[in-house]
Amino acid sequence: DADVTQTPRNRITKTGKRIMLECSQTKGHDRMYWYRQDPGLGLRLIYYSFDVKDINKGEISDGYSVSRQAQAKFSLSLESAIPNQTALYFCATSERQSNYGYTFGSGTRLTVV
Amino acid sequence: EDQVTQSPEALRLQEGESSSLNCSYTVSGLRGLFWYRQDPGKGPEFLFTLYSAGEEKEKERLKATLTKKESFLHITAPKPEDSATYLCAVQARGDYKLSFGAGTTVTVRA
């Protein structure tokens, strides 16, 4: 099994719908992150969490919300999806001062039509 | 604000044709510079961490080097299986996050 698992892998949704992307990890890491990846823009941080009670906005949090249900689970929600939220979404985990940076999930490809 | 710029955006190589990818960065006190490999439809996978100017790391046909302003990823005698997008990221001292470049997509033809 993968260390960081994201579901679903692919999703097509309509404008205005609420959608949740889920992430679970078996690494035992405290820190979890949600990034989105767009062609030519690289990975941009949406939200991050250092533990269950510590959740923070990243550089592009508008239109998104998150929930840290447990140390191992971190979900990203789009309250009312819009087409420019079409992107590849990655969940990642890390230790406090990791020498390896992040461990990434395989991503969720989201299309908003 | 930390900035990372990777060049070129895309690189097409013949098998065996060595080349280098560039990662230029500005950061207020570098803790580490990270290189990742990303295959289509997958998440980035860790390759190297470099901490100080002059440091070098090697793995198979890949070699990463670091100066105070940039890092290079050298690909020696590449094979088709080296085709991927290579991402560079920096982390500032005392910071939690990685700042990523947009990546260089490498295609190696047999």
Side-chain angles (χ1 to χ4, degrees):
Chain A
D1 288 342
D3 292 328
V4 181
T5 302
Q6 292 185 236
T7 57
R9 289 298 315 275
N10 292 283
R11 180 74 181 267
I12 300 173
T13 192
K14 292 184 178 181
T15 298
K17 292 291 188 180
R18 183 179 189 276
I19 182 170
M20 178 182 289
L21 310 183
E22 299 187 340
C23 175
S24 63
Q25 54 120 342
T26 58
K27 298 287 290 184
H29 290 165
D30 289 330
R31 300 185 171 196
M32 298 187 74
Y33 310 82
W34 276 104
Y35 279 84
R36 67 177 277 176
Q37 187 176 40
D38 299 277
L41 293 179
L43 287 156
R44 293 180 292 167
L45 182 63
I46 306 172
Y47 269 94
Y48 64 98
S49 171
F50 286 173
D51 65 40
V52 175
K53 296 183 179 180
D54 184 3
I55 293 177
N56 303 278
K57 293 181 178 181
E59 56 187 296
I60 54 163
S61 59
D62 287 350
Y64 301 95
S65 63
V66 291
S67 173
R68 185 88 182 260
Q69 301 93 327
Q71 189 216 27
K73 296 189 175 184
F74 193 35
S75 300
L76 176 72
S77 293
L78 286 67
E79 298 301 325
S80 179
I82 57 177
N84 77 358
Q85 292 177 314
T86 294
L88 192 53
Y89 289 84
F90 287 103
C91 175
T93 72
S94 76
E95 297 174 312
R96 171 175 280 196
Q97 288 290 323
S98 173
N99 292 325
Y100 306 102
Y102 299 162
T103 301
F104 285 88
S106 294
T108 294
R109 183 168 296 280
L110 177 66
T111 303
V112 183
V113 298
Chain B
E1 184 178 324
D2 303 339
Q3 289 195 333
V4 181
T5 303
Q6 292 187 245
S7 61
E9 290 185 12
L11 190 59
R12 293 176 64 87
L13 301 171
Q14 282 292 134
E15 185 172 4
E17 178 189 1
S18 301
S19 189
S20 296
L21 285 55
N22 177 264
C23 171
S24 298
Y25 66 91
T26 56
V27 63
S28 54
L30 180 71
R31 176 187 178 267
L33 184 142
F34 302 83
W35 281 99
Y36 290 85
R37 171 191 169 123
Q38 185 176 19
D39 293 305
K42 295 188 176 182
E45 290 187 358
F46 171 79
L47 290 173
F48 305 109
T49 309
L50 301 166
Y51 294 103
S52 58
E55 189 174 1
E56 299 181 352
K57 295 272 180 76
E58 285 189 69
K59 180 179 181 179
E60 296 181 355
R61 294 174 293 282
L62 301 177
K63 179 180 176 180
T65 62
L66 181 66
T67 72
K68 290 187 177 180
K69 295 183 178 180
E70 56 192 352
S71 177
F72 292 93
L73 185 65
H74 307 279
I75 309 178
T76 301
K79 298 182 177 182
E81 53 262 43
D82 294 322
S83 296
T85 296
Y86 292 87
L87 301 174
C88 171
V90 297
Q91 185 178 35
R93 275 194 294 270
D95 200 355
Y96 61 89
K97 68 176 178 69
L98 301 184
S99 297
F100 286 85
T104 294
T105 299
V106 175
T107 304
V108 182
R109 297 167 290 175

